[in-house]
Amino acid sequence: MKVVTILGTRPEIIKLSPLIPLLDKEFDHILIHTGQHYSYQMDKIFFEELKLRECDYILNVGSATHAQQTANMMIEIEEVLLKENPDMVLVQGDTNSTLAGAITSSKLNIKVVHVEAGCRSFDKNMPEEINRILVDHCSDILFAPDENSFANLKSEGIKKNKIHLVGNTSIDACLRARHLFNKDKLAELGLEKNEYALMTLHRQENTDTDQLKEIMDAVNKISHEIKIIFPVHFRTLKILKENNFDIGENIILTEPLGYGDFVGLLSLAKFVMTDSGGIQEESAVLNTPCLILRENTEWNYLVDLGKNMLVGTKYNNIVDSILNLLMDEEKLSKMRNIKFNFETGVSESIISLLKS
């Protein structure tokens, strides 16, 4: 059986990293990189670090408006699919690469497999939410990461026999990457275990100039109380520089980190502030309190569990929530110690179901 996997962003590479070698082993497997965020050359460090083979097709679509980018991907993907004639196409998550792959495959009557199906923030102002819904309703096989996602799919009328509750591949990826971290990195950055906060910020709604300034003003205030390391997404850095935003002296800006270094720093941080979806699960696995710089999340079960906390995107809410938490070591400790049950071996389960 021939399977095509489509990816185009670093989170997809990370989350699919435990699955790709198994797909290579069990199927005639073709790997397509769309180049959604960066060139393949810039992503190559992730492939090397995670010991993944090179892609069969590199589309180098690059950045554009949502419509232009998705349309360009669909044109290029269609050409590959017509040439390769696969039995199924596998996509992951909620990116434009995911959407382009799912729609193109569906139009060609090729089975669509969606890994991380059913996640919902219930906020259609987020482009990712539109992608999630459309991809799920194009898909023939849906792998849900948690019970909430499974329930979302059923409530939207998707047939139960299409849905499989398997867990999340990102957990296996995170546990594997933890062993790649060299603890000398802490000294190199002037950090000590549990004495710094980690931060990421990249979502479209948070990198609008006014919104980004409000968040950064809050982070500057928090940095008076704790050192913050901030690996900066290229888009975020561009806006910070163009607008000459003030960056507090206790904030360490770095280039985007390799996955092993990032997971290592995440595991040793006092807490993480992020708008990333993937980091919300990774921090829960590593027992690092996660403070979500968003008004909502697709990983609601972790908030309900008390493992993560939504702090919003407004100055007062961010500052009050995080400074109060910094003064409450008991609450931080409770967040760390809440038991988070998760599945491992998810990629093996997916392969078994695809073969059945």
Side-chain angles (χ1 to χ4, degrees):
M1 181 163 62
K2 181 179 281 191
V3 178
V4 166
T5 296
I6 298 171
L7 50 76
T9 67
R10 291 183 174 190
E12 288 167 300
I13 298 166
I14 291 164
K15 291 182 179 186
L16 289 171
S17 64
L19 186 57
I20 288 169
L22 299 179
L23 290 166
D24 284 339
K25 181 181 177 182
E26 299 292 341
F27 303 104
D28 180 4
H29 183 221
I30 305 296
L31 191 56
I32 301 175
H33 189 301
T34 66
Q36 176 175 329
H37 279 174
Y38 312 100
S39 71
Y40 173 67
Q41 289 305 314
M42 293 184 72
D43 276 348
K44 203 169 181 181
I45 184 176
F46 276 62
F47 281 83
E48 291 170 353
E49 183 180 24
L50 297 168
K51 296 181 170 53
L52 300 176
R53 67 172 177 87
E54 291 194 358
C55 295
D56 299 289
Y57 294 91
I58 301 162
L59 306 184
N60 289 324
V61 169
S63 298
T65 67
H66 284 288
Q68 290 171 332
Q69 186 181 67
T70 306
N72 290 339
M73 287 179 188
M74 289 175 67
I75 292 166
E76 298 290 333
I77 289 169
E78 182 182 57
E79 188 175 322
V80 175
L81 296 183
L82 288 171
K83 177 183 175 183
E84 294 290 347
N85 191 28
D87 298 286
M88 61 179 66
V89 169
L90 185 145
V91 294
Q92 195 282 335
D94 55 19
T95 71
N96 286 346
S97 297
T98 311
L99 178 63
I103 292 176
T104 307
S105 304
S106 182
K107 294 284 188 180
L108 293 173
N109 293 315
I110 301 168
K111 279 188 177 179
V112 178
V113 180
H114 188 199
V115 176
E116 203 177 271
C119 298
R120 297 290 182 270
S121 67
F122 303 101
D123 180 0
K124 288 187 179 178
N125 290 316
M126 295 176 64
E128 295 89 352
E129 183 76 354
I130 303 300
N131 291 352
R132 294 176 195 126
I133 294 167
L134 292 174
V135 172
D136 283 337
H137 286 268
C138 284
S139 295
D140 301 280
I141 303 172
L142 299 97
F143 292 119
D146 57 67
E147 290 181 2
N148 284 3
S149 301
F150 188 87
N152 291 337
L153 294 169
K154 287 200 298 179
S155 72
E156 291 176 14
I158 293 174
K159 292 179 181 177
K160 190 176 177 181
N161 64 356
K162 290 184 172 184
I163 313 167
H164 304 276
L165 178 57
V166 293
N168 203 325
T169 58
S170 67
I171 290 171
D172 288 331
C174 179
L175 292 173
R176 284 173 58 190
R178 185 170 52 178
H179 305 296
L180 299 173
F181 182 60
N182 182 345
K183 289 187 179 179
D184 291 343
K185 192 76 176 176
L186 280 184
E188 181 186 318
L189 292 166
L191 303 173
E192 294 181 28
K193 180 181 177 181
N194 205 40
E195 296 297 326
Y196 65 92
L198 183 60
M199 174 175 160
T200 76
L201 199 66
H202 75 282
R203 286 193 176 270
Q204 180 178 303
E205 61 269 26
N206 279 345
T207 51
D208 165 87
T209 303
D210 292 340
Q211 183 60 70
L212 182 58
K213 185 176 189 310
E214 185 159 7
I215 292 172
M216 288 308 302
D217 285 347
V219 171
N220 279 331
K221 177 76 173 175
I222 293 160
S223 73
H224 295 157
E225 306 300 326
I226 188 168
K227 189 175 286 189
I228 297 169
I229 180 163
F230 183 13
V232 192
H233 189 281
F234 295 114
R235 180 174 64 235
T236 310
L237 183 61
K238 183 172 182 283
I239 297 166
L240 290 174
K241 285 183 173 179
E242 285 176 351
N243 293 275
N244 199 27
F245 283 175
D246 182 42
I247 305 293
E249 62 182 23
N250 218 21
I251 299 174
I252 303 168
L253 299 184
T254 74
E255 293 183 349
L257 299 169
Y259 189 52
D261 282 343
F262 183 82
V263 167
L265 289 173
L266 178 60
S267 70
L268 299 174
K270 194 176 192 74
F271 58 85
V272 61
M273 301 176 284
T274 187
D275 60 0
S276 162
I279 291 169
Q280 292 174 50
E281 279 216 313
E282 290 162 350
S283 61
V285 170
L286 298 169
N287 293 313
T288 299
C290 181
L291 311 179
I292 307 165
L293 297 168
R294 287 164 54 179
E295 300 299 332
N296 50 55
T297 176
E298 62 274 23
W299 301 110
N300 290 294
Y301 79 103
L302 291 171
V303 176
D304 295 340
L305 188 63
K307 201 73 177 161
N308 295 348
M309 179 189 298
L310 278 165
V311 299
T313 56
K314 302 303 180 189
Y315 177 91
N316 287 336
N317 292 344
I318 296 169
V319 170
D320 291 348
S321 298
I322 295 178
L323 290 186
N324 286 338
L325 195 60
L326 267 172
M327 292 186 290
D328 192 345
E329 188 57 48
E330 186 178 338
K331 186 169 183 180
L332 275 168
S333 180
K334 183 180 177 182
M335 290 175 74
R336 289 190 198 98
N337 293 327
I338 289 171
K339 190 173 182 182
F340 169 44
N341 296 315
F342 54 83
E343 298 289 335
T344 57
V346 175
S347 296
E348 287 80 2
S349 298
I350 288 172
I351 293 293
S352 178
L353 287 162
L354 290 179
K355 289 173 68 178
S356 65

